Each structure stands twice: as structure tokens, then as C-alpha cells.
Amino acid sequence: MAEFTFELNDDQKQVRDWLHGFAADVIRPAAAEWDEREETPWPVIQEAAKIGVYSLDFYAQQFFDPTGLGIPMTMEELFWGDAGIALSIVGTGLAAVGVLANGTDEQIGTWIPQMYGDVDEVKLAAFCSSEPDAGSDVGAMRTRAVYDEAKDEWVLNGTKTWATNGGIAHVHVVVAVIDPELGSKGHASFIVPPATPGLSQGQKFKKHGIRASHTAEVVLEDVRVPGHCLLGGKEKLDERLARARERARTAPGGERVRNAAMATFEASRPAVGAMAVGTARAAYEVALDYARTRSQFGRPIIDNQGIAFQLADMRTRIDASRLLVWRASWMAATGKPFTSAEGSMSKLYASETAKQVTAQAVQILGGNGFTREYPVERMHRDAAIYTIFEGTSEIQRLVIARTLSGMPIR
């Protein structure tokens, strides 16, 4: 078991510095342009693919880092560059993890490589879970999957929303309801292969922040996928549903609606916390540099306690956020249970830190911070998403409180 340490090893430092160089030299110079265009930054993704940042091999190496720090380190550096472009680069990973967590070896080997494509033809993937009436409340999901036994096909109908790369992806991973009586335990995930009839892009959202990342609805109208596109396979699904029905029949009333998805999401939340740390750190560095060089009344503004104390608080919160993220990531990698919802703690604190730190950075820059001539305005807009996606701050607090109290996470 890897020891928990605050010091990266030499290999991790080398990867961190390599990522930082890519973020500084390629992502940052393109950030303002693609934020304004509100389009997927294909040229930047192509550059990421050329050097190996956008590749299955790279993310697999980081995912299986025994210390657990590979993914949070990667996320922090890329999102330090720019949140919108970074999300375009890492968004495929959401779908890949969905297949890795639920798929068979054959499905993993078949579909994950197709999600990334290659240097000559870059591909994207989309993970489709949220719906117009089912965001935090995943038990309210309405997208249905019905099995056509005669043709060994699953028929999907419904509308997904807030899907990163939705509609433009090569491969979509769709969560659908098999048995609505079982709540979230009656859900399953499906691969929708490229060019499958019936899948279309709905509304593309024009967003407050992360505007270089494509976010859209995905509409499913009698989408037929082969039986082998059910992640994990039908035999495994039937066994799982049978166990869930038996537990629902025999367990106390409150247990029938217990939401197992919440516990699953808990393990992925530190990665979102690391994204928030990257954005907060970027804004802090801009504000620190500005405060050192901007003079008013004959001296740098950092000489004023009102500015200096803000910077001290900003740095303290950023470091504390990183430590919470690293602790949770190490616990997940080494199999230690989140007995106090440490994953949600890291995401909650880091996301709230990103919002606060970027707002303080705008304030320190004054009128300049309110203009698009300086990047903190964009960082402040980008930071708003961290307290919303992958579970809102309110949901994080609910998960933490119920975990501490011993109540079921619904």
C-alpha cells in the first residue's frame, strides 16, 4: 500500500512539469479565443493528442498511479491553463471511466480506444446521465431502456441534458432505467455506437463559463443498440436486479430508495476538486503578480493590509483544498473507505474555494479585473460551475451530514 505523502516522487514531478508546460504554452494562449467562440477547441485537442496528453495510455497511467495523485495532479495543471479547454480535453474521460467501472474486459478493450481515436483522427466521447428533471435526484430519471428479446437489442427513449460533448461525440455512454420500481438500483449503462439512428443533439447550451467545452442535450428516439452494448452484460444485470428486488421486498421502507449512485459518485469527486484547485491557483497567481506590480499612493498595493490579508487567505484556502483532494484521492486508490464522506468534503471545499478566490482576484484587480483584458474575469465565470456539476455544494453537504449521522444516502 502506498504511503500517504505530501511530496510527489520524481516521475510525478516530471509529469507535472510537462503538463504545466503544455498548459502554459498551448492552452493559455488559446483560452480567450475559444471562450469567445464558444466552440470545441479541436486544434488544441489535436495538439494534446500529438504529445500524448489526450490519449488512453496517458490517462490509464494516471488512473492507476498507486498513490492516487496522478489524476488530481493532471487536473490541477490542465485547469490551471484554462477550465473550458481543459474540460474539452478531459471530458472523454467521464465516459471512459463509466465503461471501465461497469464494462466487461471485451467492452473495455473495444470501446475505450474508440473514444479517443488517434493522432490522425481525434475522437470524443460523452457520458449522458443528467436529465431535465433528474439532476441531483438521479432516482427521478425517465430515460427508459426496453429489451427486445427477439432481436437481442435494447431500445432507448428519453432526453439527456448537460452532456459534455453531447451530440458531437463518437461514442455516447447513456444511463437508462430498466426497472423504475427499484429507483437508482434499476438503472443500467449502455454504449451507443457511432452513427446509431435515433440519437441526435438537442439544445446546445450557451453558458456563463467553461464556454470552450461543448454542453448539450442528447435526444434518444427509439435508439436501438445491440445486446452486447449493455455494459456488464445481461446476465450480470439480471442477477443485480434480482438481488435489488429481493432487498426491496424484505428491507425496511427507507432502504428501498437508497441511492447507490451517490456512493459511486463519491469516488470521482476529488478529481473535480482538483479542477477547482487549478482554477483557484491560476487566479491567485494573477492577483499576486498584479498586487506586487500595481502601485497606488506611491507604493505597491500588496503593502496594504486589505490586499495582503486577502492574498494570505486565498493561498491558505488553496493549499487546504489541495490537501483535502490529495487525501481523498489517496484513500480511493488504496481502498480506504470514505467513512466521513472525504470525497465530498474535498469537492465541497475546493469548489467553494475556487468561487471565493476568483472573486477576490477580480476585486484585487479592481476595474481591470472586470474586463476581458485580464484572465481573472474568465476564471471567475468558469469557477461557478464547480459548485454545481458532479453534485452541487448542497448535495455535498447532504452527503457529508448523512454519512456522519449514519443515515442512508438517498
Side-chain angles (χ1 to χ4, degrees), residues 28-29 31-38 206-209 211 286 362 365-382:
R28 279 208 168 176
E33 175 188 352
W34 291 99
D35 177 71
E36 291 285 348
R37 292 175 63 166
E38 298 190 57
K206 297 182 74 66
K207 305 187 298 295
H208 176 65
R211 301 199 304 193
V286 173
V362 170
L365 269 66
N368 287 326
F370 199 65
T371 71
R372 295 187 185 180
E373 297 300 314
Y374 287 78
V376 293
E377 177 272 340
R378 184 180 68 253
M379 295 168 183
H380 183 43
R381 286 188 285 108
D382 291 341

Side-chain angles (χ1 to χ4, degrees), residues 152-354:
D152 186 26
E153 293 179 337
W154 289 90
V155 185
L156 309 180
N157 282 281
T159 299
K160 294 297 181 178
T161 194
W162 311 123
T164 298
N165 301 331
I168 66 171
H170 189 65
V171 176
H172 291 76
V173 178
V174 176
V175 183
V177 178
I178 306 295
D179 186 341
E181 296 297 321
L182 296 176
S184 64
K185 292 181 181 296
H187 297 175
S189 296
F190 299 84
I191 293 285
V192 180
T196 298
L199 184 147
S200 62
Q201 179 182 306
Q203 177 187 5
K204 178 187 175 183
F205 296 103
K206 297 182 74 66
K207 305 187 298 295
H208 176 65
I210 55 168
R211 301 199 304 193
S213 173
H214 177 96
T215 309
E217 291 181 331
V218 174
V219 180
L220 305 140
E221 296 178 310
D222 291 329
V223 172
R224 287 182 168 267
V225 299
H228 62 76
C229 287
L230 166 65
L231 290 181
K234 193 168 187 303
E235 182 177 347
K236 183 178 178 180
L237 172 67
D238 289 342
E239 292 174 356
R240 178 166 61 83
L241 293 179
R243 291 194 302 269
R245 290 178 184 124
E246 178 62 19
R247 284 196 296 269
R249 186 181 67 81
T250 60
E255 287 298 307
R256 293 178 189 167
V257 293
R258 182 169 180 170
N259 186 355
M262 288 294 187
T264 302
F265 291 150
E266 180 77 357
S268 66
R269 284 171 175 158
V272 181
M275 299 174 187
V277 171
T279 299
R281 189 183 113 213
Y284 160 76
E285 290 175 1
V286 173
L288 177 62
D289 182 66
Y290 186 87
R292 285 170 170 166
T293 57
R294 171 71 168 175
S295 291
Q296 289 288 281
F297 304 106
R299 61 180 182 177
I301 62 173
I302 198 171
D303 286 352
N304 300 311
Q305 282 189 352
I307 300 296
F309 284 8
Q310 284 193 74
L311 289 163
D313 288 343
M314 292 159 74
R315 177 59 185 267
T316 300
R317 286 190 63 108
I318 291 167
D319 282 12
S321 297
R322 184 183 298 108
L323 293 177
L324 284 170
V325 166
W326 282 18
R327 179 185 69 168
S329 300
W330 173 77
M331 290 176 68
T334 54
K336 293 186 178 296
F338 288 157
T339 56
S340 299
E342 287 86 354
S344 284
M345 283 185 182
S346 68
K347 197 269 183 181
L348 170 65
Y349 194 80
S351 61
E352 295 287 344
T353 290

